[in-house]
Amino acid sequence: MSMTTSKETNPSVINKELDRITQRIISRSLKTRAAYLKKIEQARCMTVHRASLACGNLAHGFAACQSEEKQILKSMTRSDIAIINSYNDMLSAHRPYDKYPEQLKKALLEAGSIGQVAAGVPAMCDGVTQGQDGMELSMLSRDVIAMSTAIGLSHNMFDGALYLGICDKIVPGLMLGALSFGHLPAIFVPAGPMATGLPNKEKVRIRQLYAEGKVDRLALLEAEAASYHGIGTCTFYGTANSNQMMMEVMGLHLPGASFVPPDSPLRDALTEAAARQITRLTEQSGQYLPIGQLVNEKVIVNGIVALLATGGSTNLTMHLVAIARAAGIIINWDDFSDISAIVPLICRIYPNGQADINQFQAAGGVALLIHQLLQKGLLYNDVHTVAGFGLERYTMEPWLNNGQLEWREGPKSSFNPDVIAEIKHPFSPHGGTKLLSGNLGRAVMKTSAVPEENQVIEAPAVVFNNQNEIASHFEAGELNKDCIIVVRFQGPSANGMPELHKLMPPLGVLMDKGYKVALVTDGRLSGASGKVPSAIHVTPEAYNGGLLAKVKNGDIIRVNALTGELQLLVDEEELNKRQPFEADLTAERSGCGRELFGALRRHLSGAEEGACSIDF
């Protein structure tokens, strides 16, 4: 790849506090990182990996290939690249991947290498399953994706891998699998966002009207269909687009690849370029760069910074913990909170603004984001990327020059300051994610979409053990008061930690009526939590002895995102007398395939440890 950067893009000296936090992470991770690097070095092969296979093994590995491909694979001089694909034709984000394997194979063959689809991994959508039983498989699916990736790569035929994935659990699962084969070079190949549809503000308005009974189901369906209307990722800034942002800033996409729309000439050119580029990173190329070496402590910190500067999905506070641990790096929510204190919020993308991801791209996109953060010393430039050394390469943007893919200097200032602010005048001096702690445990709040006057609430608890219980109480008017809604037994060990988006429309209605309302839960809300102040991912969860299990209706709870406080205001003597509530979860562990995941669920770690079942 050929790209040059101007002197203007050369980054400033790294922020001292950011470097202090990074050094803390490096020190904390010394033993685990060293053990990981030793493991992947032992797995490294100085020649093509398939050369270690017996003849019978190898014959099985290329039995289905065409004659030309077989000759290349027999030669033991060219690379074999695995393609791990999350394609299905039901989900909009993954529908474009149907044509990618043949496109990638063709580009690889032209570069003198072979591509083989090594595995298909499941891709489910929280948008389809939210409020349904299937949502309780969502978080578990990430680890299944990691395992499926590892099974595909375990044939040991491959010298590098291309990963095709977009949405909530798919990219983190692919990352966990890729890092378990950290001796292989890797490039992640995105598919891009769908075209802009019904404005997000209007969609939310219709949802709230439906919750109040003011419009019927047909009107609601028409609004939803106008929002989610074509191929590509949903255009709001939830986990899917947060994944794409993070992967580009971590140097695992080609520069500028994240938000180019599907089925466009530039998208096709970037996909083909990813195939060519992976061949330049293999052992045979002489420029060997395995993903396990690329993803170091500085790269992880860069991912956290990008997440916070853009007000990204709170799901990544778990996924990044798991991803880092898969590379032998140990991070926790203190790191997120401390970095949030020094990283300004410079993006407004729905739900923390009215713009969608296409408007973000038009305002300057990832290239502008990286440029501004580098200039302030808030990203590490001295990191490896799949495009070469130095993150400043990602201040460039791709374009087609007479049909040929090239990179040119990206924007240096925002084309729409209401979407991407100049970093000297941010929307907020701190990032959009806050750690809360107190006797109820530790939790995360996405504050970027919550007005400051709503970030502090002290009110009586209304306790539910299942999100489905809330609708009848809302419809009966029993929640028309200042209150803190507690939804417990929604953590990883209890029921797989589903997202609770079903709660947002009724709670939004209560806030619009003037009531002070907040949510406290050991479940999830991800990137679309919106204006309701929500202390989520509470750990320890109620099922595993968390104090949430002792909360009663009427108990006063204080949620203060300004001071980071999450406190049950009941004296300790009273709490010691109480027995924790024991929820009957039998019905939530059977049906819709949930009974198949019992072993996984029993081995999930807590939210702050990544809600992960994998032994790293």
Side-chain angles (χ1 to χ4, degrees):
M1 295 182 68
S2 177
M3 55 179 71
T4 58
T5 56
S6 70
K7 292 182 179 179
E8 186 184 353
T9 60
N10 289 341
S12 302
V13 175
I14 199 72
N15 179 282
K16 289 183 179 180
E17 179 63 13
L18 185 68
D19 200 47
R20 184 191 69 79
I21 297 166
T22 305
Q23 295 306 317
R24 180 176 76 193
I25 294 170
I26 291 172
S27 177
R28 187 193 299 144
S29 308
L30 278 175
K31 291 183 179 179
T32 50
R33 179 65 175 168
Y36 174 76
L37 292 175
K38 181 179 179 180
K39 180 184 79 168
I40 66 171
E41 180 60 28
Q42 289 172 342
R44 180 182 181 182
C45 186
M46 299 299 183
T47 183
V48 292
H49 280 267
R50 63 188 179 281
S52 64
L53 297 178
C55 291
N57 303 136
L58 187 57
H60 278 82
F62 61 55
C65 292
Q66 299 296 317
S67 176
E68 181 184 3
E69 296 169 334
K70 287 182 180 180
Q71 291 304 314
I72 291 174
L73 291 174
K74 286 178 183 177
S75 72
M76 301 300 171
T77 59
R78 305 293 182 87
S79 297
D80 188 12
I81 304 300
I83 299 169
I84 310 293
N85 195 1
S86 63
Y87 163 75
N88 64 54
D89 68 3
M90 186 194 79
L91 301 180
S92 62
H94 297 86
R95 175 66 175 81
Y97 283 138
D98 63 339
K99 67 178 184 179
Y100 274 43
E102 291 308 314
Q103 192 176 4
L104 292 167
K105 287 180 185 181
K106 182 175 182 291
L108 286 165
L109 192 59
E110 290 171 353
S113 297
I114 296 298
Q116 293 182 292
V117 177
V121 303
M124 67 178 293
C125 176
D126 292 359
V128 176
T129 59
Q130 61 182 262
Q132 308 297 319
D133 293 346
M135 176 58 85
E136 294 175 13
L137 303 183
S138 176
M139 194 69 179
L140 296 165
S141 76
R142 183 196 63 189
D143 293 15
V144 172
I145 291 163
M147 295 173 197
S148 301
T149 300
I151 289 170
L153 297 175
S154 68
H155 296 102
N156 206 31
M157 287 279 294
F158 307 110
D159 307 294
L162 295 165
Y163 296 90
L164 316 185
I166 291 283
C167 288
D168 296 23
K169 315 308 170 296
I170 295 87
V171 168
L174 290 172
M175 276 292 288
L176 295 178
L179 287 166
S180 75
F181 282 75
H183 59 287
L184 296 180
I187 295 180
F188 282 68
V189 187
M194 71 173 67
T196 299
L198 184 74
N200 288 297
K201 185 176 182 180
E202 178 64 10
K203 175 187 67 179
V204 172
R205 187 183 73 85
I206 298 297
R207 284 179 177 178
Q208 291 193 180
L209 289 174
Y210 178 76
E212 294 177 275
K214 294 179 178 178
V215 300
D216 62 14
R217 179 180 169 85
L218 181 60
L220 177 64
L221 181 57
E222 289 298 319
E224 298 289 352
S227 297
Y228 310 117
H229 60 90
I231 62 171
T233 60
C234 305
T235 59
F236 68 89
Y237 195 43
T239 309
N241 286 321
S242 296
N243 281 339
Q244 303 312 299
M245 179 84 69
M246 181 184 74
M247 297 302 282
E248 186 164 338
V249 176
M250 290 173 69
L252 289 162
H253 284 174
L254 292 184
S258 294
F259 301 121
V260 174
D263 289 345
S264 63
L266 182 56
R267 175 87 278 156
D268 289 342
L270 285 164
T271 299
E272 293 163 8
R276 293 190 294 271
Q277 186 65 9
I278 192 67
T279 66
R280 301 184 181 110
L281 304 178
T282 63
E283 185 72 60
Q284 298 85 276
S285 73
Q287 303 176 71
Y288 177 60
L289 180 62
I291 187 175
Q293 288 182 8
L294 186 157
V295 178
N296 63 13
E297 293 89 345
K298 291 181 178 180
V299 167
I300 292 292
V301 168
N302 281 351
I304 296 173
V305 169
L307 180 72
L308 296 169
T310 56
S313 169
T314 51
N315 270 331
L316 274 302
T317 63
M318 292 182 292
H319 296 324
L320 261 174
V321 170
I323 288 167
R325 189 64 185 85
I329 299 165
I330 301 171
I331 60 174
N332 58 38
W333 289 346
D334 290 314
D335 301 320
F336 282 87
S337 190
D338 290 350
I339 293 173
S340 184
I342 58 173
V343 172
L345 179 70
I346 58 173
C347 296
R348 287 286 192 203
I349 321 170
Y350 185 84
N352 75 345
Q354 296 309 314
D356 68 9
I357 202 68
N358 294 311
Q359 291 166 296
F360 164 81
Q361 177 77 349
V366 181
L368 176 59
L369 173 75
I370 291 175
H371 168 74
Q372 294 210 76
L373 291 170
L374 282 173
Q375 291 299 301
K376 291 290 286 185
L378 291 171
L379 285 174
Y380 286 95
N381 183 50
D382 58 335
V383 293
H384 288 285
T385 77
V386 298
F389 188 77
L391 189 61
E392 60 191 318
R393 293 172 179 270
Y394 285 71
T395 64
M396 310 291 285
E397 61 180 14
W399 70 300
L400 293 178
N401 184 7
N402 294 320
Q404 297 299 308
L405 178 64
E406 296 181 3
W407 274 266
R408 61 189 175 191
E409 194 171 276
K412 300 296 183 289
S413 58
S414 177
F415 293 107
N416 186 343
D418 292 331
V419 180
I420 304 178
E422 298 296 335
I423 200 163
K424 295 178 182 178
H425 306 287
F427 297 116
S428 169
H430 52 79
T433 299
K434 183 74 174 181
L435 170 66
L436 308 182
S437 62
N439 62 356
L440 279 172
R442 288 162 67 88
V444 170
M445 180 183 287
K446 182 173 179 177
T447 60
S448 54
V450 181
E452 191 168 295
E453 62 269 20
N454 292 335
Q455 292 183 22
V456 181
I457 175 172
E458 187 173 308
V462 182
V463 183
F464 299 96
N465 301 312
N466 187 303
Q467 64 170 320
N468 296 321
E469 299 171 353
I470 294 177
S472 60
H473 291 263
F474 170 76
E475 290 165 4
E478 296 170 8
L479 303 181
N480 289 338
K481 56 187 177 182
D482 291 353
C483 61
I484 292 181
I485 305 296
V486 174
V487 186
R488 60 192 181 187
F489 299 103
Q490 306 298 307
S493 297
N495 63 354
M497 205 178 192
E499 289 189 345
L500 306 175
H501 287 305
K502 194 174 183 178
L503 306 181
M504 291 300 98
L507 297 188
V509 170
L510 295 177
M511 292 185 69
D512 288 348
K513 289 180 177 180
Y515 299 113
K516 294 276 284 183
V517 178
L519 173 68
V520 174
T521 180
D522 45 14
R524 297 185 292 120
L525 276 175
S526 86
S529 52
K531 65 185 180 183
V532 179
S534 303
I536 60 177
H537 307 173
V538 174
T539 184
E541 61 179 288
Y543 184 76
N544 283 339
L547 188 59
L548 275 182
K550 288 188 175 183
V551 178
K552 293 183 176 181
N553 286 321
D555 287 348
I556 303 299
I557 293 176
R558 179 185 298 141
V559 176
N560 189 330
L562 303 182
T563 62
E565 188 176 3
L566 178 62
Q567 196 78 9
L568 177 63
L569 302 180
V570 176
D571 67 64
E572 193 169 341
E573 184 178 354
E574 166 63 18
L575 291 176
N576 288 335
K577 293 177 183 177
R578 292 184 184 180
Q579 293 299 311
F581 183 85
E582 296 184 10
D584 181 3
L585 300 174
T586 305
E588 297 182 41
R589 294 183 172 178
S590 181
C592 203
R594 288 176 290 181
E595 61 276 6
L596 301 176
F597 292 82
L600 260 185
R601 191 169 48 243
R602 286 192 294 273
H603 287 89
L604 286 177
S605 61
E608 192 170 5
E609 288 74 47
C612 199
S613 66
I614 298 169
D615 294 327
F616 295 114

